[in-house]
Amino acid sequence: FVPWSKRVTYNEDKASDAVEEGRFGTVQYSLFPSYNGKTMVSPWHDIPLRSGSHYNFITEIPMYTSAKMEVSKEKYRNPIMQDVNKDGSPRYYTYGVPFFNYGLLPQTWEDPALKSAEGYGGDNDPLDVIEVGDGPLPMGSTTPVVVLGSLELIDEGETDHKIIALRASDPRANSVRSLADLERSLPGLTARLVDWLKMYKTSDGKGVNQLANNERPTSASEAEAIIAECEQRWRALLAAPSARPEFWLPH
């Protein structure tokens, strides 16, 4: 991995049509995506999960960047903001910068009431995505992707699925339809992903993360079943917004 990246005060990796508020690198910074000509949309609720036969991937953290960005579930229209440390300072990855694009699938929710086989509830967030295409995608951009599989992270007692995907525009997308195909194309990548997910918090003094299923990735069809379940949980969330008053939900 790349062990260091410059912490800048302007966002040179954002989508060109995204709307920014505040200064990048501060906890006041917010980025609102655009979609289909509409500005300041909610990346969680307003962008559809699917685009034809593909899924829509929203980039929160572009490849090779260290700022830990994520959708705010509580703020108006759920902007992408920088996560914070316990002392309130902006959070950065310290285990080296990601060698993948990281973000979410819109219109999904990992419900804490949904228990895994090991008894862990969902992490209360939209589904996370690791996109393994060639090069960075802009923060706040929407990219159609092919789902290849997933890894099930157990993060501080919660289930945190990581959907592994490849952008549909990648030249390999016609031949890479599973993690086995990906491994033939990029040998060793799955092992690197497992290492990253297990170890990335250790540089902050935390323990090694666990992966369920003996670290075995799911198939593409199993990952799509996880997505379908989390889509239904999101629909149920919108149908009963009073159950989660802390979230900003569309009315």
Side-chain angles (χ1 to χ4, degrees), residues 169-205:
S169 62
D170 192 288
R172 297 167 294 179
N174 288 332
S175 58
V176 174
R177 313 297 290 189
S178 68
L179 288 177
D181 293 338
L182 180 67
E183 193 65 19
R184 282 189 287 271
S185 176
L186 294 169
L189 181 62
T190 303
R192 291 180 68 200
L193 293 175
V194 168
D195 173 82
W196 171 273
L197 292 173
K198 290 174 62 178
M199 303 300 294
Y200 78 96
K201 290 185 177 182
T202 59
S203 55
D204 296 321

Side-chain angles (χ1 to χ4, degrees), residues 118-145:
E118 292 84 1
Y120 299 109
D123 72 349
N124 207 26
D125 287 335
L127 270 173
D128 294 326
V129 178
I130 292 171
E131 194 279 327
V132 294
D134 186 16
L137 294 169
M139 187 186 301
S141 61
T142 300
T143 306
V145 296

